[in-house]
């Protein structure tokens, strides 16, 4: 079903897509895009690999087995950012540095807890899309070739 | 140590420690805790140990201790009998603990919302405990019945306390009771609270759930009937008594319910054969005494009610534990198959006899004082009330007498195994307490007095002593013994009449109404379910049609004049209008093709044209998300089609639309589209507010160090929403994984 061309395109697109996703993610607070979009874009890039190579070859090259773990790690990160401030009496989802405080910039990236929260969303969405695709691909593949 | 044993030990420790702590606090004159909880609601975690809380709290922990000790010996036998592993005991201990804690929370609560929460927790705990043998359908039905009756009535309690908050402006119980007046709002609330309490206390006509609930393991029954659940109902009546007193006619209603329950419970207890059924109907009757007394509405009756609850709890718990021990020893649970057990089980026979004597108000037990106060309170209100009291006391004596004599006396009917000490010990301990209180009644009197003073909100005098004279209470007691003995001996004369009464109750009683109502609800739900989920189209229509009807009603009610305005299209809007018409065209086009892949592609094109529209609006963030999501969605659809066998898709695409659907589906679609259009049009016709939320957020974004408003909204301003959404995503992922793995396996 998939030809040499598809495989070539898929292989060529993987790295740029992931770099695009990373860019969308880290520039989220200063430019268009956020963790969710970044997660979907990265997920699409991996999905393309599945379409081109099948789950067996993808699993050999990419760490897709960790998808569920990545998703849960993302959730844990977001939960931590949201609820740790409760420990010292601040409200849930209080981000630091507070308004009017100084923010450290690394290029366009701002070092904010809100960005960490967004990274959590990114990891969850990426893990979710890859994990779901992997589950279905595996189930379908194992049914065809038991 | 296994978790089951650990929990059991924890239960014993907690119940014991709770008992000692409550006792200490009560003897030291009470104590209170008051913590802020939900300031916006005005609700506080306020607890106080007053007289009433001390009485019921000591019962819940003291009886709880006996029950936990007993369960340690009983549960392994029970589980082994059913071939279940010992680990199943964890659930019983855990919910018994929850039950105990929520009872103590309930009786000490000083805030109506907190009170309601604990009230519901007792219902939940009892649901799991009654349905502990969940492999048995009868048990599950009984648990559901208890939950429905007490849970539905709990809603009345919630409505009642909210009415009170509305009327008195506070959630604290004490100020409400102090300010209580007999106006309409208060009356409504009082009636609702009383109904909730009566359902919980299994009073006629809502008594039917309690005899069913006796399918629970014996320790649970014992606890449920004596110190928890059922006791919670009369506790609530005692707690809100000052309020109930203000409402004309309510106390008379309580008296009527109490008399009905005494009659129903007493007569049915006489006719039952199963041990725990007898005791269950007895509970209905005994709490009928308490409701009757609270309905009499005097200081003396408040005192009598408090003392009665105390004595009944000890005696009823002992009787239940004894019934369980008898069944454990012989494997039989029916009176007709038991007999002559006094010889092999002398200690149990003696202890059970003492507990029965206390319930039947024989002298030298605490029960005598309880009935003395009961008679005194009834006499105070007149001869008719005294006659009622006499009749129900005689009934009690008769069925308890029947219970004890037919188990322990007469010819040996079955063999009895030796019983472990832990099964007999709690019965003996409770019986010993009841006996001791028959001679040293001062602690009992003090506890009852303190509780009655909370209920009555004025000093109450309780003095318990034997008087060897011809005062009316003594005469009534003697008449009770005589009448009860006659009933016991002359069984042949009344037996057919009592059986007939029981049968009438089964045929036309409130339980039939419950079953009928349940069946009706079930059928209605089935019908709606059938219509809703027949196929994907009806499922979509089930959402769209009611929504359209609601919009149509809204338009009809509010009128259309001036709501719908039209603007003009400026030159720079032309591009946007074109893109939007492209999206509309795509949507329309998606309704024609029959080939699945074509439908997916056309749908995606509609979504992508919307992305272009967003880009025109200057919302690049949203446009980006739409592109990403549409791509993902389109690919997912194509992936599903690739997984389906080719011929299934081809066959499905060729299935002709049936005659009914050919008209129904377009009609549903057009009608809902029309009303959605109307709704959107009216919304867009409104002039935009000056400072909209969007402008506010845009102003705030730089303060949150964000150049991109949308990301700031997602991660910061509405961060909690995002958190909930991604949690749902994670759960969905786990669900997908489990589902697929299960299908593959």
């Amino acid at each position: 079903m998939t030809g040499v061309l598809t495989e070539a395109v898929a292989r060529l697109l993987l790295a740029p897509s992931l770099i695009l996703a990373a860019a969308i993610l880290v520039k989220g607070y200063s430019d268009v895009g956020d963790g969710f979009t970044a997660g979907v874009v990265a997920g699409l890039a991996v999905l393309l690999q599945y379409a081109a190579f099948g789950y067996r070859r993808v699993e050999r090259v990419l760490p897709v087995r960790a998808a569920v773990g990545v998703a849960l790690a993302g959730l844990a990160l977001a939960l931590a950012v949201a609820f740790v401030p409760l420990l010292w009496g601040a409200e849930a989802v209080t981000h630091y540095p507070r308004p009017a405080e100084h923010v450290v910039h690394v290029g366009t990236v701002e070092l904010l807890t809100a960005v960490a929260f967004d990274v959590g969303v990114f990891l969850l969405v990426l893990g979710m899309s890859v994990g779901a695709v992997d589950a279905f691909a595996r189930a379908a593949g194992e049914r065809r070739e038991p | 140590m296994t978790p089951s044993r650990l929990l059991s030990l924890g239960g014993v420790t907690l119940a014991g420690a709770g008992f000692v702590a409550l006792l200490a606090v009560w003897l030291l004159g009470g104590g209170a805790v008051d913590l802020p909880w939900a300031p916006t609601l005005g609700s506080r975690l306020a607890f106080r140990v007053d007289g009433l809380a001390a009485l019921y709290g000591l019962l819940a922990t003291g009886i709880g201790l006996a029950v936990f000790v007993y369960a340690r010996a009983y549960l392994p036998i029970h589980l082994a009998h059913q071939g279940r592993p010992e680990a199943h005991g964890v659930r019983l201990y855990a919910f018994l603990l929850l039950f105990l804690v929520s009872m103590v929370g309930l009786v000490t609560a000083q805030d109506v919302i907190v009170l309601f929460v604990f009230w519901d927790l007792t219902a939940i705990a009892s649901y799991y405990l009654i349905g502990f043998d969940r492999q048995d359908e009868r048990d599950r039905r009984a648990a559901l019945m208890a939950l429905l009756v007490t849970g539905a009535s709990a809603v009345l309690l919630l409505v009642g306390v909210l009415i009170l908050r509305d009327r008195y402006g506070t959630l604290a119980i004490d100020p409400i009771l102090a300010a209580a007046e007999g106006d309409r709002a208060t009356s409504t609330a009082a009636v609702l609270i009383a109904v909730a309490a009566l359902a919980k206390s299994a009073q006629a006509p809502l008594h039917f759930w309690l005899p069913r609930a006796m399918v629970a393991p014996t320790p649970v029954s014992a606890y449920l009937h004596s110190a928890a659940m059922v006791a919670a109902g009369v506790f609530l009546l005692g707690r809100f008594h000052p309020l109930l007193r203000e409402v004309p006619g309510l106390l008379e209603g309580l008296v009527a319910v109490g008399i009905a329950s005494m009659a129903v419970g007493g007569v049915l207890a006489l006719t039952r054969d199963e041990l725990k059924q007898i005791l269950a109907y007895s509970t209905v009757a005994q709490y009928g005494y308490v409701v009757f007394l609270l309905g009499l509405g005097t200081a003396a009756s408040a005192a009598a009610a408090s003392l009665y609850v105390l004595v009944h709890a000890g005696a009823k718990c002992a009787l239940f534990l004894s019934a369980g021990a008898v069944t454990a020893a012989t494997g039989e649970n029916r009176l007709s198959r038991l007999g002559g057990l006094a010889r092999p089980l002398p200690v149990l026979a003696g202890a059970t006899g003492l507990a029965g004597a206390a319930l039947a108000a024989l002298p030298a037990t605490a029960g005598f004082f309880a009935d003395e106060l009961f008679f005194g309170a009834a006499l105070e209100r007149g001869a008719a009330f005294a006659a009622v009291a006499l009749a129900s006391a005689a009934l009690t004596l008769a069925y308890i007498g029947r219970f004890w004599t037919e188990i322990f006396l007469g010819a040996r009917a079955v063999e009895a195994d030796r019983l472990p000490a832990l099964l007999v010990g709690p019965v003996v301990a409770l019986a010993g307490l009841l006996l001791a209180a028959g001679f040293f009644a001062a602690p009992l009197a003090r506890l009852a007095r303190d509780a009655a003073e909370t209920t009555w909100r004025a000093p109450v005098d309780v003095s318990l002593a034997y008087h060897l004279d011809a005062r009316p209470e003594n005469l009534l007691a003697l008449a009770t013994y005589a009448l009860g003995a006659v009933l016991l001996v002359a069984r042949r004369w009344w037996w057919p009449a009592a059986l007939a009464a029981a049968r009438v109750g089964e045929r036309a009683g409130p339980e039939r109404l419950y079953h009928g109502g349940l069946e009706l609800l079930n059928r209605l739900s089935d019908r709606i379910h059938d219509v809703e989920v027949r196929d994907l189209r009806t499922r979509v229509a089930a959402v769209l049609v009611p929504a359209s009807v609601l919009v149509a009603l809204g338009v009809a009610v509010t009128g259309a004049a001036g709501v719908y305005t039209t603007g003009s299209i400026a030159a720079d809007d032309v591009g946007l209008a074109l893109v939007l018409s492209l999206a509309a065209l795509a949507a329309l086009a998606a309704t024609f093709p029959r080939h699945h892949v074509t439908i997916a592609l056309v749908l995606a094109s509609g979504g992508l044209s919307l992305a272009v529209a967003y880009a025109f609006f200057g919302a690049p963030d949203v446009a980006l998300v739409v592109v990403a999501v549409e791509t993902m969605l389109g690919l997912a659809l194509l992936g599903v089609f690739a997984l389906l066998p080719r011929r299934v898709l081809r066959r499905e695409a060729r299935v002709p639309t049936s005659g009914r659907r050919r008209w129904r589906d377009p009609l549903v679609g057009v009608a809902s589209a029309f009303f959605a259009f109307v709704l959107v049009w009216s919304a867009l016709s409104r002039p935009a507010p000056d400072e909209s939320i969007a402008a506010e957020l845009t102003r705030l974004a730089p303060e949150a160090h964000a150049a991109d408003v949308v990301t700031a909204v997602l991660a910061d301003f509405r961060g909690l929403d995002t958190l909930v959404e991604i949690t749902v995503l994670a759960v969905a992922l786990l669900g997908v994984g489990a589902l697929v793995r299960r299908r593959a396996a």
Side-chain angles (χ1 to χ4, degrees), chain B residues 564-640:
Chain B
Y564 304 100
T565 58
T566 49
S568 53
I569 296 179
D572 49 352
D573 289 338
V574 172
L576 181 61
L578 277 177
V579 176
L580 283 178
S581 14
L582 197 63
L585 269 177
L588 209 59
T591 61
F592 290 107
R594 303 201 63 101
H595 195 254
H596 293 81
V597 176
T598 321
I599 298 178
L601 292 178
V602 177
L603 277 178
S605 77
L608 291 173
S609 8
L610 274 184
V612 179
Y614 283 124
F616 265 106
F617 260 125
D621 264 296
V622 185
L624 186 57
V625 170
V626 172
V627 169
V629 169
E630 281 298 336
T631 315
M632 197 61 142
L633 214 60
L635 286 177
L637 269 179
L638 293 180
V640 170

Side-chain angles (χ1 to χ4, degrees), chain A residues 67-80:
Chain A
V68 177
V70 167
L72 294 183
L75 182 63
L77 176 61
L79 282 173

Side-chain angles (χ1 to χ4, degrees), chain A residues 28-34 37 40 44 47 71 75 78 82-83 93 95 97-99 101 103 110 117-118 124 128-129 135 139-140, chain B residues 620-621 624-625 628-629 631-632 635 643 703-708 711-712 714-716 719-720 722-723 726-727 729-730 733 736 740:
Chain A
Y29 241 60
S30 49
D31 210 336
V32 171
D34 49 52
T37 321
V40 175
L44 279 172
L47 177 61
L75 182 63
F83 291 117
V93 201
H95 287 309
R98 303 294 305 139
E101 287 176 7
V103 179
E110 296 170 287
F117 183 85
D118 218 26
L124 182 92
M128 160 84 195
S129 42
Chain B
D621 264 296
L624 186 57
V625 170
V629 169
T631 315
M632 197 61 142
L635 286 177
L643 287 181
E703 274 188 54
H705 312 291
D708 183 12
T711 312
L714 286 175
D716 195 342
L720 221 48
T722 310
L723 201 67
I726 61 172
T727 310
L729 267 187
L733 172 62
V736 165
V740 168

Side-chain angles (χ1 to χ4, degrees), chain B residues 83 149 262 277 282 344 358 415 442 449 456 459 468 482 530 547 549-550 566 579 591 622 628 688 704 719:
Chain B
V149 173
M262 288 192 274
Q277 286 258 9
S282 153
E415 289 306 312
R449 187 198 67 204
W456 192 244
L468 296 174
D530 279 351
V549 169
L550 282 180
T566 49
V579 176
T591 61
V622 185

